Amino acid sequence: MSRTSPAIAARLARLRSDDPVEWAVSPRRIGYEDAVAFMEDRAAAIRAGEARELIWLLEHEPLYTGGTGAKPHDLLNADRFPVHQSSRGGQYTYHGPGQRVAYAMLDLEKRGKDIRSFVYGLEQWIIEALDAFNVKGERRDDRVGVWVDRTEPGEALREDKIAAIGVRIRRWVSFHGIALNVEPDLSHFSGITPCGVSAAGLGVTSLVDLGLPVTMDDADEALKRAFHKLFGPTLDAPPPAW
């Protein structure tokens, strides 16, 4: 496990399971409220032993969501896009076309029952996927998400967030998940203070903004390979349908 201590690697190892996780990709954009309703139902079915774990990849139409830690003053333009209050952790974030959202409905009872290790594992999932494109994703102790250091020698700090994380755990089943910026319209983030981070030199980026001609299919394949490495095998499945 790259860039981890032996103790952390051991904790991450407990996140693995040999039971295949269903892996579904929605070809069309999904309404946020529909997605949340599905996740809540699926999480309950997983806990009841009636459904497999699921990773669900999708895109949303442009919208802002406020997590349980969202502060009203961080919503800078409430009229720009629909705003949804969310039960996930975290503050305000943006979802929209060109951003790969990966909702993770996983049974933590069989994956170590350790929320901090699970969140660390989600971060590592993104970091390992970015490695496929020679992008060094990094954690920051005082900031959530995964960051890319773009500071030039002799210049002021410049670090941009490339992926956000926000999860909810109910009866040891997770839902919500991660959002990786592949090629979203980065100007759409200006309607919020993303994740409450407004310090000088900090912003948002994407794989394409970094000069990489990455498609959504490319990102999906990198995410799947990294998931296999960290969490275990997957089983392709049809996406939820309405």
Side-chain angles (χ1 to χ4, degrees):
M1 216 69 70
S2 61
R3 298 184 292 277
T4 59
S5 70
I8 290 173
R11 292 172 69 184
L12 288 178
R14 292 197 292 272
L15 294 173
R16 290 187 59 84
S17 171
D18 291 331
D19 293 334
V21 175
E22 289 190 348
W23 186 277
V25 182
S26 285
R28 65 178 182 85
R29 295 171 191 164
I30 303 298
Y32 185 75
E33 292 181 351
D34 288 338
V36 172
F38 173 84
M39 284 191 287
E40 291 184 341
D41 287 347
R42 183 63 174 246
I46 291 169
R47 174 49 53 236
E50 298 169 352
R52 287 184 179 270
E53 298 170 292
L54 172 67
I55 299 295
W56 181 20
L57 275 59
L58 55 87
E59 294 175 86
H60 291 301
E61 296 290 353
L63 59 91
Y64 299 128
T65 70
T68 56
K71 300 176 176 61
H73 62 263
D74 285 332
L75 180 59
L76 306 178
N77 186 348
D79 297 324
R80 187 168 187 182
F81 298 125
V83 180
H84 299 267
Q85 298 306 310
S86 174
S87 63
R88 64 163 174 80
Q91 302 185 46
Y92 278 106
T93 195
Y94 165 78
H95 294 312
Q99 182 190 72
R100 176 51 88 208
V101 174
Y103 287 136
M105 287 148 273
L106 299 176
D107 184 354
L108 301 190
E109 279 200 340
K110 64 182 181 183
R111 295 180 182 272
K113 212 171 183 180
D114 182 336
I115 294 173
R116 292 183 65 182
S117 292
F118 175 61
V119 173
Y120 196 96
L122 294 179
E123 293 170 341
Q124 193 67 24
W125 180 21
I126 298 166
I127 290 168
E128 297 282 353
L130 291 173
D131 272 348
F133 308 109
N134 295 315
V135 174
K136 184 180 180 182
E138 299 179 315
R139 300 175 179 85
R140 292 293 180 263
D141 291 340
D142 59 339
R143 293 180 244 133
V144 297
V146 175
W147 296 78
V148 177
D149 188 346
R150 305 178 76 180
T151 308
E152 295 293 336
E155 300 292 333
L157 173 74
R158 182 185 177 188
E159 293 186 347
D160 290 338
K161 178 183 277 191
I162 195 167
I165 297 171
V167 295
R168 172 82 173 182
I169 311 295
R170 182 176 295 158
R171 298 181 63 201
W172 291 107
V173 177
S174 69
F175 54 108
H176 297 284
I178 68 173
L180 172 64
N181 295 334
V182 180
E183 192 180 6
D185 184 336
L186 296 179
S187 71
H188 289 180
F189 285 87
S190 64
I192 56 172
T193 303
C195 299
V197 178
S198 59
L202 304 180
V204 292
T205 191
S206 69
L207 288 166
V208 170
D209 182 56
L210 292 172
L212 301 168
V214 177
T215 68
M216 197 66 77
D217 287 344
D218 295 333
D220 289 353
E221 182 59 29
L223 284 167
K224 181 181 274 190
R225 288 198 304 268
F227 187 89
H228 291 167
K229 179 178 179 180
L230 292 161
F231 291 93
T234 59
L235 175 68
D236 289 345
W242 286 268

